[in-house]
Amino acid sequence: MPLRGDGRLNHDLMPGEKGPQDACGVFGVWAPGEEVAKLAYFGLYALQHRGQESAGIATSNGEQILVYKDMGLVSQVFDETALNALTGHIAVGHCRYSTTGGVTWENAQPTLGATASGTVALGHNGNLTNSADLVNLVAERYGAQRRGELARGNTTDTALITALFAGDADHTLEATAMEVLPRLRGAFSLVFMDENTLYAARDPQGVRPLVLGRLDRGWVVASETPALDIVGASYVRDVEPGELICIDADGMRSSRFAPTERAACVFEYVYLARPDNTINGRSVHSARVEMGRTLAREQPADADLVIPTPESGTPAAVGYAAESGIPFGQGLTKNAYVGRTFIQPSDTLRQLGIRLKLNPLREVIKGKRLVVVDDSIVRGNTQRALVRMLREAGAAEVHVRISSPPIKWPCFYGIDFASRAELIANGLGVEEIGKSLGVDSLGYISTEGMIAATEQPSSQLCAACFTGKYPIELPPDDQLGKHLLEQAELPLGQPEDGLKQLAVRTGGSTALDHP
């Protein structure tokens, strides 16, 4: 299995334990006179929590597009020399967690492809559900030869979008996008560009976030508002579900490729997004604190101290403590540099499990009845080890409270949970899970309480991982799966040199070479 990118910044606290993996982060900027590659770098830095496997930036100077991408964290992929080489006035950036396709350099983004009038570089957050249909559409339109990124070994749904953007000789990229985007199903927040224009598009359900910001001399689009803040851009508005935005020398213009059928991911509020993000007008931090308050009302506990599982459980723990009147405390210390190594722990260290990343403050928790607040339970291994560690440190009682309902269903829209068979709540009731974890009591927030904390209408949210009700129709099981495009029998034929499809004048002839 290929090594994943360095530095798991999500809340996995045990070696090898798989929690809810973040989606991806996308960033785009149109700003003549600015160092757009550096703006993209810092924008991706603010979005690092959304994907830690690979990172990439593409830039255009109006005549050619250059792409630099590699495996690892943003700060590891880029240095001053690489950023200085990425000149131009438009940039598109991406940090990846793989929800389709393997963890390989070929699958890193932005992807690069030929169009009727030049080149497209594209970054994608989300997951398409009709990839099998799109494979057939690519073969039907452009023949059986694999071209572009598909010829270079890219096995992602993003490569299919890029291939479809090739378009016809008499179509601009904008016209091609307006024809292709309505054919996509599932979750897609896209940021892409050609030599002269920056584009942003969001699926009709708006599953994944995407925001528009303004610079003094340009525009920014990004997955989350903190990426606007870090580059000094002011928030303008969310990109609307079903909207295509185009930004060039003539300004910003908007088109509708589909009507809005809003079904935003509720798990963005629970865990995925940064707490300083704002989604559809609602502060994520405020939503999480309110989830904690609701949790305290719904699942009270007789205890001496409320502690969070760092850091993902902290806002909900603050809310729980405030509502319950039980003091809030930091009972666990987290190693700030956790996960930033390719070195696998030895068997001896692996047995220590969670202690590699968390350590209890014994003087704080000894003899105390604790409420431990976390955002979710996936397989339960992390919580089981945490409870054992707290008891060994002298906790008198351990009551676990979770600020989301039991996760029972997989996500097909851009979050990579454990398989349904591995989800502990799929096979056990709450009491049984509590016994399995070794806690004195276990309580989850209700689905209604969680949704109310977001201040969004329940009809405009996707909570499929909790309810099993998917707002976007799913294809048959054999047409789903992370590695669908790696199957040899797909009707795309043998690869030819994909670089032949890229005009040398665009700079595409070397942009796909491994750095």
Side-chain angles (χ1 to χ4, degrees), residues 14 19 49 70 86-87 95 107 134 184 196 215 220 230 259 266 268 297 313 337 349 370 397-398 417 420 435 496 502:
M14 295 181 66
H49 61 289
D70 209 346
L86 292 169
T87 59
C95 53
N107 287 343
L134 297 179
L184 308 182
N196 297 296
L215 291 166
V220 175
I230 200 172
V266 73
E268 293 277 357
R297 293 192 297 269
Y337 298 95
L349 289 174
L370 302 178
E397 296 177 10
V398 180
F417 285 119
R420 189 164 189 233
K435 288 180 181 178
E496 66 174 31
L502 295 173

Side-chain angles (χ1 to χ4, degrees), residues 124 176 358-359 474 508:
H124 173 205
T176 300
L358 286 182
N359 211 33
L474 300 177

Side-chain angles (χ1 to χ4, degrees), residues 243-507:
E243 181 184 23
L244 171 67
I245 287 176
C246 308
I247 299 168
D248 59 18
D250 295 325
M252 192 272 285
R253 59 189 179 275
S254 169
S255 302
R256 274 271 167 203
F257 65 85
T260 296
E261 303 172 15
R262 194 180 295 274
C265 174
V266 73
F267 208 70
E268 293 277 357
Y269 291 96
V270 172
Y271 166 67
L272 285 183
R274 277 177 49 152
D276 52 343
N277 188 30
T278 299
I279 304 176
N280 203 32
R282 176 59 164 161
S283 158
V284 170
H285 178 267
S286 297
R288 290 175 185 170
V289 171
E290 185 57 35
M291 288 175 195
R293 287 183 174 275
T294 302
L295 184 59
R297 293 192 297 269
E298 293 183 349
Q299 301 290 342
D302 189 9
D304 305 309
L305 190 68
V306 176
I307 67 170
T309 300
E311 269 85 25
S312 58
T314 300
V318 168
Y320 194 103
E323 184 70 20
S324 66
I326 302 171
F328 173 88
Q330 294 287 356
L332 297 162
T333 298
K334 185 176 181 181
N335 179 358
Y337 298 95
V338 64
R340 294 173 182 249
T341 175
F342 284 117
I343 305 301
Q344 298 300 307
S346 67
D347 288 341
T348 301
L349 289 174
R350 192 176 288 108
Q351 290 170 10
L352 297 176
I354 203 170
R355 292 181 186 272
L356 293 174
K357 305 190 177 187
L358 286 182
N359 211 33
L361 292 168
R362 296 175 186 273
E363 66 277 14
V364 174
I365 65 177
K366 186 175 182 180
K368 299 287 180 58
R369 298 169 298 167
L370 302 178
V371 175
V372 183
V373 179
D374 204 352
D375 62 89
S376 60
I377 298 178
V378 180
R379 290 192 292 195
N381 294 338
T382 296
Q383 284 81 7
R384 192 175 296 112
L386 176 61
V387 170
R388 187 183 310 119
M389 183 175 69
L390 292 172
R391 292 199 188 280
E392 290 172 358
E397 296 177 10
V398 180
H399 303 272
V400 170
R401 296 294 181 267
I402 306 298
S403 60
S404 64
I407 298 171
K408 296 183 178 182
W409 301 86
C411 175
F412 299 101
Y413 308 138
I415 309 174
D416 191 20
F417 285 119
S419 68
R420 189 164 189 233
E422 294 175 294
L423 295 172
I424 191 170
N426 181 45
L428 300 176
V430 175
E431 280 194 25
E432 294 172 303
I433 296 172
K435 288 180 181 178
S436 172
L437 301 182
V439 300
D440 292 284
S441 71
L442 171 65
Y444 291 87
I445 195 174
S446 66
T447 302
E448 297 75 17
M450 171 190 66
I451 289 174
T454 69
E455 297 185 351
Q456 309 297 310
S458 60
S459 61
Q460 296 185 11
L461 290 173
C462 174
C465 53
F466 307 116
T467 66
K469 297 177 181 177
Y470 294 94
I472 306 169
E473 185 178 0
L474 300 177
D477 289 347
D478 62 355
Q479 294 181 21
L480 287 167
K482 182 172 179 175
H483 302 289
L484 176 70
L485 270 66
E486 294 169 7
Q487 298 175 18
E489 63 270 19
L490 292 178
L492 287 174
Q494 295 300 312
E496 66 174 31
D497 183 2
L499 296 182
K500 292 178 182 177
Q501 302 302 314
L502 295 173
V504 173
R505 65 179 176 79
T506 66

Side-chain angles (χ1 to χ4, degrees), residues 67 92 125 142 193 212 221-222 231 280 286 354 359 364 461 486:
V67 180
V92 168
N125 172 209
Y142 304 111
M193 70 179 189
L212 174 68
V221 286
V231 300
N280 203 32
S286 297
I354 203 170
N359 211 33
V364 174
L461 290 173
E486 294 169 7

Side-chain angles (χ1 to χ4, degrees), residues 214 225 287 513:
R214 194 76 166 95
T225 56
D513 290 344

